[in-house]
Amino acid sequence: MKVSDFIFQYTSFNPQDGLCRVRVFIAQKNKVYALLTDIGSHNPSSSVTNSVETIIRELIEKGLVPDFTNFIEHYRHSSFNLAEFDLVTLDNRFTPTWSSIKRNNVLEMLECDEAELQSSIKSNRRLITEVERKRYKMDPAMNFPFNRSSKLITRIEDINKGKLSK
């Protein structure tokens, strides 16, 4: 049973923080699973794979998941049959190990249907709004197609002011 679905902002080794989708499930025998989904071009920083140990550590430290949570990394593709799932485990030094798992096994573990795994943030207004709000908070100019430094803009203005008319 899914108990939570949110966009998580994590610290990245890049200058910009990263974003991923986190869905938390509670299955039989009170097993807790967190499905960490890479959100592709909506993520302004390093991928889930490159930051998985940081994501897991921060989710636990912030109390968003218990420390006994099982983590599954998920990459969506246009065809659901091509989606990739990996069970991620960390050793005592927080070094990750990935074990590929099949879609059917994920469905059994999470006790959910395929529609849940197929859902994208693009089809969920709340999640896409959350992504855009977090991206704007990180950098208000992030979504502008042409980011020019203030020095460049000042220089262009100086050049335009100094132009002579014919």
Side-chain angles (χ1 to χ4, degrees):
M1 171 178 74
K2 182 172 76 170
V3 293
S4 188
D5 188 353
F6 59 94
I7 302 299
F8 182 65
Q9 182 176 339
Y10 57 88
T11 307
S12 174
F13 55 85
N14 288 336
Q16 193 73 261
D17 282 353
L19 298 172
C20 70
R21 181 181 185 183
V22 177
R23 286 175 274 185
V24 181
F25 296 82
I26 297 179
Q28 289 181 356
K29 299 180 184 175
N30 291 327
K31 281 197 166 193
V32 179
Y33 294 94
L35 187 64
L36 310 175
T37 304
D38 190 271
I39 59 174
S41 62
H42 295 288
N43 179 8
S45 191
S46 60
S47 69
V48 170
T49 299
N50 290 334
S51 303
V52 73
E53 60 271 15
T54 303
I55 295 168
I56 292 171
R57 188 183 70 248
E58 289 182 1
L59 282 167
I60 293 170
E61 286 175 356
K62 292 179 180 185
L64 299 171
V65 297
D67 58 359
F68 55 86
T69 300
N70 300 287
F71 294 91
I72 300 172
E73 185 177 337
H74 173 221
Y75 277 87
R76 290 191 81 252
H77 290 282
S78 57
S79 170
F80 181 64
N81 293 329
L82 298 176
E84 297 174 32
F85 299 95
D86 292 291
L87 191 60
V88 181
T89 55
L90 300 177
D91 64 14
N92 57 358
R93 294 185 328 218
F94 269 83
T95 303
T97 304
W98 291 266
S99 303
S100 182
I101 51 179
K102 296 184 186 281
R103 181 186 86 236
N104 290 338
N105 293 354
V106 173
L107 291 169
E108 288 176 23
M109 292 165 73
L110 303 181
E111 299 174 2
C112 68
D113 59 4
E114 289 191 23
E116 176 59 46
L117 296 183
Q118 287 178 328
S119 72
S120 72
I121 64 167
K122 293 176 185 174
S123 62
N124 187 320
R125 187 178 191 94
R126 179 186 62 81
L127 291 176
I128 202 69
T129 301
E130 192 174 342
V131 165
E132 293 307 317
R133 184 179 49 79
K134 287 180 185 274
R135 285 172 56 103
Y136 183 81
K137 189 174 180 182
M138 285 190 270
D139 180 5
M142 184 183 301
N143 292 332
F144 292 144
F146 302 107
N147 290 331
R148 293 182 170 170
S149 70
S150 59
K151 287 182 182 180
L152 177 61
I153 292 170
T154 303
R155 180 68 180 131
I156 290 171
E157 289 296 317
D158 288 345
I159 290 170
N160 287 335
K161 286 178 188 173
K163 286 183 180 178
L164 299 174
S165 62
K166 290 184 181 180

